[in-house]
């Protein structure tokens, strides 16, 4: 958002990532969402927040050591414009204050700056002063893979290290709910393992089968689930047909549920560095969406992360309006 109130077009030219550009374009009629940016104290994180503000996606509250933020802005020629700086002494305090701004209702989104993810999430999951809900918190990468015909959701590759079955149930439902907000009425969920058959020696195959039965019994709602599926069977129809897998999910997945954080993180980074994919990260299951960006993210990816969060905030407003009628 420029200082005169107009949305600024942030250039992502030369891109083959039209899925993200379509996502960002969906936000053009939305008001910028107030966002607590925790500790944006190096050029990339600060510029990411200001770029998203200039694109009209967010209205940032820059939470951290004020002198440091101004110094970084000056050295990187970043115009802080009208955006408020909320002074804190260090990154730990910045995380706590950013969460507090959300709890107070001053901000509707939370965004990671240059502090470590664990430091921010420690404030988020605090039992007394955090942003917990009855749902377990999980992370989703919304990936724009040039060789795949639609956005690909990968979860959980950043928060839950070795999730048990109950946690995987919430990981599934969080991703499904996000997919609904982004316009998928009945997303196709592939639960990944190394093979597509049940093998008692591979626990992820047992859990995949259990999750599918949980969907049959209404414990997971709003999607088609299938698993276990090996990665090739989940995203390639020919591979699925070769294995004789007859499933509406196999070869056409929207959401990939990975066995654990390690496998998910490796998968997302393989797609990023070997297939030129972009990976927009968002944390779900807290009171508000949490924009989780990496210093390696390009402008397009940062804007896509903010766009997803803005669409989630708009959906929340819509639900609240329906409840109040």
């Amino acid at each position: 958002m420029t200082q005169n109130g107009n949305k600024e077009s942030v250039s992502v030219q030369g891109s083959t990532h039209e899925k993200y550009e379509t996502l960002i374009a969906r936000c053009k009629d939305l008001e910028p969402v107030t966002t607590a940016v925790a500790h944006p104290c190096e050029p990339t994180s600060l510029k990411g927040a200001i770029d998203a503000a200039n694109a009209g996606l967010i209205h940032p509250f820059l939470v951290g050591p004020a002198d440091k933020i101004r110094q970084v802005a000056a050295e990187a020629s970043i115009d802080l414009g009208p955006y408020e700086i909320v002074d804190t002494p260090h990154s730990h305090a910045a995380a706590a204050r950013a969460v507090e701004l959300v709890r107070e209702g001053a901000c509707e989104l939370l965004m990671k700056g240059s502090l470590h993810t664990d430091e921010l999430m420690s404030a988020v999951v605090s039992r007394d002063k955090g942003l917990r809900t009855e749902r377990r918190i999980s992370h989703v990468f919304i990936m724009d893979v040039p060789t795949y015909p639609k956005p690909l959701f990968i979860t959980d590759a950043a928060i839950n290290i070795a999730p048990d079955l109950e946690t995987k149930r919430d990981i599934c439902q969080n991703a499904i709910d996000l997919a609904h907000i982004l316009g998928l009425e009945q997303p196709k969920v592939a639960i990944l393992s190394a093979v597509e058959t049940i093998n008692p020696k591979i626990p992820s195959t047992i859990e995949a089968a259990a999750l599918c039965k949980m969907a049959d019994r209404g414990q997971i709602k709003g999607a088609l689930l299938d698993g276990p599926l090996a990665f090739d069977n989940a995203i390639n129809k020919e591979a699925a047909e070769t294995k004789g897998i007859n499933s509406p999910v196999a070869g056409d997945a929207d959401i990939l549920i990975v066995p654990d954080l390690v496998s998910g993180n490796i998968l997302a980074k393989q797609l990023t560095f070997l297939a030129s994919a972009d990976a927009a990260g968002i944390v779900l299951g807290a009171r508000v969406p949490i924009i989780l960006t990496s210093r390696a993210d390009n402008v397009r990816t940062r804007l896509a992360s903010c766009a997803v969060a803005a669409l989630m905030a708009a959906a929340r407003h819509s639900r609240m309006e329906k409840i109040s009628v």
Side-chain angles (χ1 to χ4, degrees):
M1 187 76 72
T2 59
Q3 292 190 33
N4 64 7
N6 296 322
K7 291 193 176 184
E8 178 180 296
S9 176
V10 177
S11 175
V12 288
Q13 285 147 351
S15 166
T16 59
H17 295 262
E18 71 283 351
K19 306 176 194 74
Y20 275 4
E21 292 167 13
T22 300
L23 187 66
I24 294 165
R26 286 182 56 189
C27 299
K28 64 182 177 63
D29 295 325
L30 300 179
E31 290 295 318
V33 187
T34 51
T35 303
V37 186
H39 202 70
C41 291
E42 52 83 42
T44 303
S45 60
L46 183 58
K47 186 176 185 299
I50 300 304
D51 282 345
N54 289 337
L57 298 170
I58 67 172
H59 180 92
F61 287 65
L62 306 172
V63 186
D67 290 345
K68 179 65 174 176
I69 292 172
R70 293 191 181 98
Q71 179 186 346
V72 170
E75 291 175 353
S77 301
I78 298 171
D79 181 9
L80 296 181
Y83 306 116
E84 181 178 345
I85 297 176
V86 180
D87 190 26
T88 65
H90 45 66
S91 59
H92 184 74
R97 182 63 181 130
V99 167
E100 190 175 32
L101 287 171
V102 173
R103 287 175 61 91
E104 292 171 352
C107 292
E108 297 182 67
L109 300 176
L110 183 62
M111 183 174 183
K112 176 181 174 287
S114 56
L115 75 177
H116 196 277
T117 298
D118 287 349
E119 192 170 14
L120 178 62
M121 293 310 299
S122 178
V124 169
V125 301
S126 169
R127 292 195 178 276
D128 298 325
K129 298 181 180 180
L131 301 174
R132 285 174 174 265
T133 68
E134 74 284 352
R135 189 79 65 80
R136 290 170 178 81
I137 290 172
S138 63
H139 177 274
V140 177
F141 277 124
I142 303 96
M143 303 206 67
D144 188 343
V145 186
T147 54
Y148 199 66
K150 54 186 176 179
L152 189 62
F153 298 58
I154 295 177
T155 184
D156 180 341
I159 299 294
N160 294 285
I161 297 172
D164 60 17
L165 184 61
E166 288 187 353
T167 302
K168 285 187 177 180
R169 181 265 165 202
D170 281 358
I171 289 171
C172 282
Q173 195 64 63
N174 285 342
I176 291 165
D177 292 347
L178 172 61
H180 290 168
I181 290 170
L182 299 185
L184 296 174
E185 292 184 8
Q186 194 174 44
K188 298 175 181 180
V189 180
I191 306 160
L192 298 186
S193 186
V195 295
E196 67 280 353
T197 54
I198 306 299
N199 185 336
K201 295 180 180 179
I202 306 177
S204 58
T205 67
I206 305 294
E207 291 183 341
L211 288 167
C212 291
K213 184 53 66 177
M214 291 171 84
D216 290 345
R217 297 292 185 263
Q219 293 172 273
I220 299 171
K221 299 179 180 179
L224 294 174
L225 272 68
D226 193 13
L229 289 171
F231 177 70
D232 56 343
N233 301 326
I235 53 92
N236 186 280
K237 284 188 177 295
E238 289 184 8
E241 290 169 358
T242 298
K243 288 292 184 73
I245 301 171
N246 182 18
S247 160
V249 175
D252 192 36
D254 299 295
I255 299 170
L256 303 179
I257 306 297
V258 298
D260 55 29
L261 183 147
V262 172
S263 58
N265 196 275
I266 290 171
L267 173 57
K269 288 178 178 176
Q270 282 176 326
L271 291 172
T272 298
F273 291 100
L274 295 178
S276 300
D278 281 346
I282 197 89
V283 174
L284 311 172
R287 290 191 194 179
V288 300
I290 302 167
I291 303 161
L292 206 63
T293 56
S294 165
R295 278 173 285 188
D297 289 344
N298 58 35
V299 173
R300 177 179 53 244
T301 300
R302 289 176 181 274
L303 293 182
S305 296
C306 292
V308 170
L311 290 168
M312 292 182 69
R316 182 172 179 266
H317 278 298
S318 179
R319 287 196 304 271
M320 295 299 291
E321 288 173 2
K322 290 178 181 178
I323 291 171
S324 63
V325 172

